[in-house]
Each structure stands twice: as structure tokens, then as C-alpha cells.
Amino acid sequence: MILGIETSCDDTSVALVDDQGYVKTLVSVNQDGVHRPFGGVVPEVASRQHTEQLLPLIDRAMTDAGIEWSQIRGLAVTSRPGLIGSLLVGVVTAKTLSLVHELPLVGVNHIEGHLLAPLLRDTSYTPPRDFAFPYLGLAVSGGHTHLFKVEGPGQCTLLGHTVDDAAGEAFDKFAKMLLLGFPGGMRVDQGAKDGDPKAFAFPRGLMHDETLNFSFSGLKTAALRQIESMDPHERELHKADLCASYQEAIVEVLIAKLEKAARQTGLKNWTVTGGVSANSRLRSKAAEAAIRRKAVLALPPLKYCTDNAAMIALAGLYKMRLGQVSDQELTPSASSLPGDWLTP
Ligand code: KG4
Ligand code: ZN
């Protein structure tokens, strides 16, 4: 049994995962309510929340699962990338628990956690039959939009990434422009339900260039111009169309690049993870693309897509098997480290 700790942004999360990747328990505290008045995540507030929440959450996870410390074989903690103050709370806590309980410690890259999430299992989820390494992994969240070839734990090749905003950030900023509230992605998704995705012709950044990179800043500017050209009544009237068209511009590019990567690599196993993979349009378009290309698509349940400690525990389990344990020198880092990814 591995205990996983995730505190890289604004979710405090603790999980117990066994050596088969089976999630015994996953408990999280979401800070959305705390950050909402500020319209975005405030780093100082986030780290203070983690400080208050983490130890009680660890106690709760152990009690819920009926697990004693003597049954734990290792500690996995997100050590990068993320908000440095938030990461620090998780890393210092994990290092202390490692000393107290004499347990091996593993620092995990948060994005690698997202990429491995489809391999988790529990009473109601198992990965699709035949889904295995190597696979294409699209990690889309508020902080990252990265496309990988995942050949195994520690063997992720970065094929493409956003050159400016992350997809989730683009959703959140648009929601702010339309005064939909925070966090924005889910509200845009809901707002788009009755809208026409063709109503507004928003730009598809880098859609037809030769790379597997993404760009969402042009889309954001175009949407801002469009919204500023409308009076409040018009905005309200066309809200659903604006949401649907904006969402479509993001989803279309994500799927186009996923399919392009599939053509280039020949990979028939795909996964889409990270908070934005909760998006209903992205989920249905990814499923359609997988059928079209006869690919196996793993879409983990939302609790494993958004930031969570189960994916960190699983990544830690793999690393421990590879002997890649950390020591008390482990320090958090705001960005990924050289060597985290292979290059094509
Ligand atoms: O992975 P995650 O929980 O945290 C980060 O590592 O960033 O992702 C959060 C992001 C936010 O930008 C949020 O707006 C977005 O995921 N998101 C969505 C949806 N649900 C969450 N974006 C689009 N549609 C959704 N339904
Ligand atoms: Zn994340």
C-alpha cells in the first residue's frame, strides 16, 4: 500500500493505492470556495489551506480505509510542477512522515501522475481491455496542455505543448470575460449546452502547422474583442452561442493534434486526462475520433482526471519498483526538471 499526497495547486488530496493500482481510498478537499472571491487561485491562500487540511485528511484516509501505518510501504508526493508554496506543504509533510515511520519516499512529477491516471482501478473503474503501454497521453488542465507518447513510467516523450496559455486557463479566462464565475471551465461547458458551436468563427491556433504544439492566446484575444463589441443585453442573448463556439475552437484543436500524433506515431491507445478532460464536448469528440481511427480510448472517471492523490500514488508505486526513490534532499520545484521527459 502506497500513501499518495497531492498539493500542487488548489486541491489537497490523499490516497491509498495498493500494488495492483487499486484505489483503496481517495479523499480530497477542494479550495474553489476559498478562491472564488478573488476570481482565481491565490498562491498564499492555497498553501495556507493545504497546511490546515493535509494532516486531518491523511488521518481520514487511514481511518476510512482501516489501514495502519505498519501496512504502508511507501510515500509518494507531488514535488513538481506547481505553486511552490503549495508543493512545499506536501513535500515537507511527506519527508517528515518518511522519517517518523521509516518509509521510502518518492517525489512525483504531477503531469506524469495525470498521464498514468487511466491505469488506476477501483470497484467501478478498470482501464479498457487492451489499453496498455505505449499510448498517447493528452494532459489538459489549468496549468498544462501537453501531448506525450507514454511508453512506460519514466518513459514519457513530450511530443507537443502549448506555447502560451493552457487550455484550462483559456476556459477560465473566457468565463471571467463573460462573468460566469470561477472556476470557469465547467461553467463554459454547461453554458454551451444549448449553443451553436458555429455561431462565432473563433481562430484555431496552430491547427494546421506542422508541429504538435498548441496556442490559445489568439483565441482569447478574439473572444475578448467579440465580447467587448457587444452590449450587456447582446452578451446575455448570445451567451450560449459564445460558450459553444469558444469551446469548439479549443476542442477542435485538441482533437486535431491528438489525431495528428496518432497518425505520426501509429499509436492506437489514447488517453485524455487533466481537469479539462471533464469537458463534455472534448469527451464526446475524443470518443468519436477514437472510433474513426479504431483506437482504444481510456477516459478515467472525473475524480482521477482532476488533481488527485491516487494518480500520484500510482506514479510513486512505479518509481519505487524502478528503485527511483528520493531522500530528505527532495525539494519542490515550480517547473518540471530536465530529465523528466524524453525528447522525440
Ligand atoms: O487538473 P486540474 O484539476 O488542475 C490543474 O492542474 O490545473 O484542472 C483544472 C482546470 C481548470 O482550468 C478548469 O476550468 C478546467 O480544468 N475544467 C474544465 C471543465 N472542468 C474543469 N474545462 C472545461 N470543461 C470542463 N467541464
Ligand atoms: Zn493537474
Side-chain angles (χ1 to χ4, degrees):
M1 193 73 70
I2 303 286
L3 182 106
I5 296 176
E6 156 64 38
T7 63
S8 68
C9 186
D10 61 341
D11 292 284
T12 320
S13 182
V14 175
L16 287 160
V17 173
D18 79 7
D19 62 353
Q20 304 298 310
Y22 187 91
V23 183
K24 184 92 176 151
T25 188
L26 169 62
V27 285
S28 306
V29 178
N30 171 284
Q31 303 177 6
D32 286 351
V34 183
H35 298 290
R36 189 164 292 125
F38 305 100
V41 176
V42 183
E44 305 300 326
V45 176
S47 49
R48 183 172 308 195
Q49 288 290 314
H50 290 308
T51 309
E52 287 174 14
Q53 305 287 354
L54 185 54
L55 288 177
L57 214 51
I58 293 172
D59 282 342
R60 207 175 104 203
M62 307 279 286
T63 311
D64 284 2
I67 294 286
E68 308 278 330
W69 279 103
S70 59
Q71 293 168 272
I72 308 270
R73 293 285 173 270
L75 297 160
V77 62
T78 306
S79 61
R80 60 194 186 278
L83 300 173
I84 197 75
S86 291
L87 289 165
L88 192 62
V89 177
V91 168
V92 168
T93 304
K95 288 201 313 195
T96 309
L97 290 171
S98 157
L99 276 179
V100 171
H101 298 287
E102 295 179 16
L103 288 169
L105 170 72
V106 188
V108 171
N109 182 303
H110 176 85
I111 303 175
E112 187 169 7
H114 276 305
L115 293 171
L116 298 172
L119 301 173
L120 288 165
R121 50 192 76 227
D122 61 24
T123 44
S124 54
Y125 171 76
T126 41
R129 228 165 56 94
D130 303 331
F131 183 83
F133 299 120
Y135 55 81
L136 273 182
L138 177 63
V140 263
S141 73
H144 19 85
T145 301
H146 285 44
L147 186 54
F148 290 91
K149 176 178 180 177
V150 186
E151 288 173 281
Q155 287 180 284
C156 305
T157 304
L158 183 57
L159 302 175
H161 58 88
T162 179
V163 296
D164 40 56
D165 293 346
E169 204 179 345
F171 272 111
D172 292 337
K173 286 179 178 168
F174 177 75
K176 219 170 181 175
M177 293 175 211
L178 268 188
L179 307 176
L180 297 179
F182 170 85
M186 203 202 340
R187 292 169 194 237
V188 178
D189 192 353
Q190 282 159 359
K193 287 275 180 286
D194 302 314
D196 174 5
K198 292 198 171 70
F200 296 93
F202 288 132
R204 270 75 170 148
L206 301 185
M207 174 105 149
H208 300 295
D209 82 328
E210 69 280 12
T211 73
L212 292 168
N213 289 337
F214 306 87
S215 167
F216 299 107
S217 65
L219 167 66
K220 193 183 60 189
T221 310
L224 182 63
R225 275 206 207 101
Q226 179 61 50
I227 290 169
E228 281 177 348
S229 74
M230 300 163 102
D231 64 37
H233 174 70
E234 278 178 308
R235 276 178 214 165
E236 196 52 41
L237 197 66
H238 297 290
K239 202 184 247 160
D241 286 346
L242 283 166
C243 287
S245 302
Y246 189 87
Q247 175 175 270
E248 198 69 3
I250 294 178
V251 170
E252 226 176 87
V253 182
L254 292 175
I255 298 297
K257 295 280 168 154
L258 182 64
E259 289 200 71
K260 185 177 195 155
R263 276 197 308 276
Q264 286 181 2
T265 59
L267 290 175
K268 293 281 184 191
N269 283 317
W270 306 349
T271 188
V272 183
T273 68
V276 179
S277 68
N279 185 268
S280 58
R281 188 74 174 168
L282 179 58
R283 288 177 98 82
S284 66
K285 287 285 174 185
E288 280 172 28
I291 291 169
R292 209 164 41 236
R293 304 219 162 256
K294 299 190 172 50
V296 178
L297 175 67
L299 283 177
L302 298 187
K303 61 184 173 188
Y304 302 144
C305 284
T306 55
D307 288 353
N308 70 88
M311 66 186 193
I312 302 303
L314 182 66
L317 174 76
Y318 283 129
K319 285 184 106 137
M320 241 171 251
R321 281 189 189 146
L322 293 169
Q324 296 172 356
V325 288
S326 315
D327 55 26
Q328 289 292 322
E329 300 297 307
L330 180 68
T331 42
S333 161
S335 35
S336 294
L337 297 177
D340 279 353
W341 316 129
L342 307 173
T343 41

